[in-house]
Amino acid sequence: MSLLASKLILKCLERENVEFVFGYPGGALLPLYEALRTSPIKHILVRNEQAGPHYASGYARESGRVGVCMATSGPGATNLVTGIATAYLDSIPIVAITGQVNRDLIGTDAFQEADITGATAPFTKHSYLVKDAADIPRIIREAFYIASTGRPGPVLIDIPRDVQLENLKTGLTYDKVDILGYKPNLNGHSGQVKRAIKKIKEAKKPVIYAGGGVLLGHAEKELMTFAEKNDMPVITSLMGIGAFPEDHPLYSGIVGSHGFEFSNFVMNDADLIINIGARMSDRGTSKLTSFEENTDFIHIDIDPAEIGKNMETTIPIVGDAKTVLNELLAKDTSGDHSKWLDEIKKIKQEHPLVYDADPPCSEMINPKVMFRSMSEMTSDDSTLVADVGLNQIWSALYYRIIRERKFFTSGGLGTMGYSIPAACGVCFATLDHPKQVFAVCGDGSFQMSMGELGVIAEHQLNVKIILITNTKLGMVRQLQCDVFGKGHYSGTDLNFDIDFMKLAEAYGIKGYKVDKNEDFNKVLPEAIKHQGPVLIQCQVHPDFIRI
């Protein structure tokens, strides 16, 4: 008795408990799609391969499982590149499966041939070119293991068409995973942990800097316990939003070039920064952050390559965030930081949040006020997926992530067109327990992925799209203003006021258009109550470019 390799691939995916595959068919994947036709795994036909990894990313971030996307060879595979890189920079576990031309045609510039394993080598955790169908069980098992362990990330499996058509003996399984050279370390080095404990007890002005690694390591409860036990303020990176509740007395904002002004001043004044799962990237710092020479850094990260890469580290601890925090919690690290917390209160008062500094905000929607009021009207377990641009920063800073809320965005690569497909992935991950899902985007990023409205309409996904329109590429326009001066704008005018309501109507999606905050406040509860997709267009003045 034999089994086609294409069917074996599906059997292996089923063993990994794959629910959905987000893909787009083509010639090099036809055998796999024929096998998929009779598989319990559900295929979601994305409208552009570029969106596939974003669907998988949203699904993975919401469900905690590995997301899967597929595309054919050549242009299908290369269309996955940006989404794979997006997942890599944000450490999101996805497996991308691509078709490839027959083995004897590889290297001949055959029709729709592209070296996708070579093209994605810099931003995958690992990649495979399957040359022998008998290796399929091992490769798929390893791919899911690599994607989901250690520092998560994308893995690519490239499968030639003729490999998919091979006949194999049934019963081929692979359970044991033992990869030479890949042994993620979870426990912190005991000596470094002891040094960290001593430094924490000595600190007068400590700050916890929580990055995306806290969320990826499911260490939110341990972080809360550690912060409260030691009476330490917590600041997050953009990717760390949600690692610590924003209504907690110890919460001290978001740091970085697009963070809160007061948060950067708090970081500057600290004598100890405990960095948990953040790489201190250029966006995670700013012109305001000029750390003192006597500031000590404890850097906890599961990826040893990140420690000390961007900031000199006093005490490096390689390990899992949850595990290392539990190791620290097992010891006495408490100290009196009441004076430091009083000082932080003064810093917050000296650098308050300003909601209406620009005159244009009184003429149309003020997005700062809009997102703050939106956070008061949405449920405690909602998921907000932000795109890239001013819409991203406004939602990150002013939509409060409290209790069970989640905030997803493309932080490392800053990929426009991310929010709508990623929010769809969230919806597919929560079909059996629907929740409030929001996709926030500008009119620039929306037009990069508006074809995915077809998926939203087809599956009647309960996603609410908050579309901020100003007929400009707002963040680039802001950068041009900061660098060259007001009026020095180039290539940032979309120059066409689209009737997005007609577009929503064409897809059978309920639409609202508002240009005042009070109108948005009336419309949002209606949109939330509506069972199905909704598009809310929010008009913002073109010159409102402050965050």
Side-chain angles (χ1 to χ4, degrees):
M1 188 173 179
S2 62
L3 183 70
L4 271 176
S6 56
K7 291 191 176 182
L8 177 61
I9 293 168
L10 270 299
K11 293 292 184 185
C12 292
L13 294 179
E14 289 166 24
R15 289 186 70 204
E16 299 298 332
N17 297 314
V18 173
E19 279 187 298
F20 296 97
V21 170
F22 305 100
Y24 206 98
L29 269 185
L30 288 183
L32 192 55
Y33 268 84
E34 171 60 19
L36 189 59
R37 186 175 58 82
T38 55
S39 170
I41 295 174
K42 301 176 186 69
H43 175 260
I44 305 301
L45 178 63
V46 303
R47 298 314 192 251
N48 189 319
E49 295 105 340
Q50 293 178 15
H54 301 329
Y55 278 86
S57 171
Y59 177 88
R61 295 173 83 162
E62 180 66 37
S63 68
R65 299 159 70 177
V66 177
V68 182
C69 59
M70 279 197 321
T72 192
S73 64
T78 56
N79 267 341
L80 299 182
V81 167
T82 299
I84 291 171
T86 301
Y88 183 77
L89 267 292
D90 289 340
S91 305
I92 309 302
I94 69 171
V95 169
I97 298 172
T98 53
Q100 185 55 274
V101 299
N102 291 347
R103 284 169 289 186
D104 62 339
L105 293 177
I106 293 176
T108 67
D109 291 333
F111 177 68
Q112 291 196 331
E113 181 196 357
D115 179 9
I116 193 61
T117 55
T120 58
F123 38 80
T124 50
K125 280 192 74 177
H126 194 61
S127 61
Y128 296 90
L129 172 60
V130 183
K131 297 180 179 179
D132 187 342
D135 292 332
I136 287 171
R138 173 184 62 81
I139 286 174
I140 291 179
R141 185 71 195 94
E142 287 182 356
F144 277 77
Y145 177 74
I146 293 170
S148 59
T149 56
R151 177 181 177 174
V155 176
L156 181 131
I157 306 174
D158 194 31
I159 313 176
R161 189 177 189 275
D162 60 327
V163 170
Q164 299 169 45
L165 291 169
E166 280 191 27
N167 275 298
L168 295 161
K169 292 181 180 179
T170 57
L172 287 172
T173 59
Y174 190 84
D175 296 313
K176 183 181 178 183
V177 177
D178 187 13
I179 304 169
L180 186 66
Y182 182 72
K183 309 290 180 185
N185 184 56
L186 300 181
N187 299 305
H189 186 279
S190 59
Q192 298 295 67
V193 171
K194 287 180 181 177
R195 289 181 62 206
I197 290 168
K198 182 175 183 294
K199 190 66 70 175
I200 292 168
K201 293 185 74 170
E202 294 172 351
K204 302 299 181 184
K205 297 181 177 182
V207 166
I208 298 170
Y209 180 40
V214 174
L215 296 165
L216 293 166
H218 307 291
E220 298 95 318
K221 290 182 181 178
E222 288 75 14
L223 174 62
M224 171 85 76
T225 304
F226 182 74
E228 291 179 339
K229 175 184 176 182
N230 297 287
D231 219 18
M232 285 187 191
V234 178
I235 289 174
T236 74
S237 66
L238 181 68
M239 292 302 295
I241 293 174
F244 198 79
E246 295 184 10
D247 58 350
H248 195 285
L250 292 173
Y251 176 70
S252 296
I254 303 164
V255 78
S257 58
H258 293 88
F260 293 118
E261 189 178 33
F262 72 81
S263 302
N264 286 291
F265 280 105
V266 171
M267 284 277 277
N268 277 348
D269 288 353
D271 62 4
L272 173 66
I273 296 173
I274 305 171
N275 179 349
I276 309 173
R279 60 175 173 266
M280 297 297 289
S281 68
D282 57 325
R283 208 184 198 196
T285 56
S286 76
K287 61 184 178 182
L288 294 175
T289 47
S290 53
F291 304 111
E292 300 295 331
E293 290 185 4
N294 61 350
T295 301
D296 290 313
F297 284 86
I298 297 172
H299 193 166
I300 302 167
D301 204 295
I302 200 164
D303 185 355
E306 290 297 342
I307 295 180
K309 185 174 77 175
N310 296 317
M311 192 74 65
E312 188 174 343
T313 301
T314 310
I315 302 173
I317 302 178
V318 178
D320 171 68
K322 181 192 283 280
T323 304
V324 174
L325 279 171
N326 278 322
E327 290 171 346
L328 294 174
L329 284 167
K331 304 295 182 181
D332 178 22
T333 53
S334 59
D336 183 8
H337 304 133
S338 56
K339 290 183 179 179
W340 172 224
L341 294 176
D342 287 339
E343 188 177 333
I344 289 174
K345 288 180 182 177
K346 291 179 181 178
I347 292 174
K348 289 181 178 180
Q349 291 170 356
E350 292 168 359
H351 304 279
L353 302 184
V354 179
Y355 287 89
D356 56 356
D358 288 348
C361 71
S362 62
E363 299 178 24
M364 293 183 179
I365 292 280
N366 180 335
K368 299 181 181 183
V369 174
M370 185 190 83
F371 280 111
R372 181 47 57 96
S373 62
M374 180 179 167
S375 70
E376 294 170 357
M377 290 188 283
T378 52
S379 66
D380 289 344
D381 67 341
S382 58
T383 295
L384 186 147
V385 185
D387 218 285
V388 171
L390 291 177
N391 66 88
Q392 175 191 43
I393 306 305
W394 284 327
S395 57
L397 297 183
Y398 302 106
Y399 184 84
R400 302 181 77 198
I401 303 300
I402 55 177
R403 289 175 275 282
E404 301 302 316
R405 289 181 182 173
K406 298 177 183 178
F407 177 85
F408 302 153
T409 193
S410 169
L413 198 63
T415 304
M416 289 179 67
Y418 174 83
S419 66
I420 289 178
C424 291
V426 172
C427 288
F428 283 113
T430 56
L431 285 180
D432 59 346
H433 53 286
K435 63 186 300 187
Q436 292 178 10
V437 180
F438 301 95
V440 174
C441 50
D443 40 1
S445 52
F446 176 82
Q447 291 179 73
M448 287 190 173
S449 59
M450 64 185 184
E452 303 312 312
L453 293 179
V455 176
I456 292 173
E458 176 188 351
H459 297 275
Q460 282 298 293
L461 299 179
N462 194 36
V463 61
K464 317 304 178 186
I465 301 172
I466 309 298
L467 170 58
I468 297 175
T469 58
N470 56 11
T471 67
K472 310 292 180 189
L473 300 179
M475 179 165 280
V476 182
R477 183 178 167 86
Q478 181 198 52
L479 293 170
Q480 289 176 339
C481 179
D482 291 344
V483 174
F484 302 109
K486 191 171 183 179
H488 291 262
Y489 305 124
S490 176
T492 54
D493 292 323
L494 295 171
N495 288 324
F496 186 66
D497 191 8
I498 297 170
D499 190 339
F500 290 106
M501 293 300 97
K502 286 185 178 178
L503 182 64
E505 183 183 357
Y507 282 96
I509 294 173
K510 192 174 184 63
Y512 297 93
K513 185 176 182 179
V514 295
D515 59 7
K516 293 283 187 284
N517 284 86
E518 53 266 31
D519 294 333
F520 176 81
N521 293 345
K522 293 176 183 176
V523 159
L524 184 63
E526 292 181 25
I528 292 173
K529 189 176 180 180
H530 177 71
Q531 294 300 308
V534 176
L535 172 65
I536 305 177
Q537 181 185 354
C538 307
Q539 293 189 280
V540 173
H541 196 285
D543 291 329
F544 191 89
I545 56 174
R546 297 178 66 90
I547 58 172

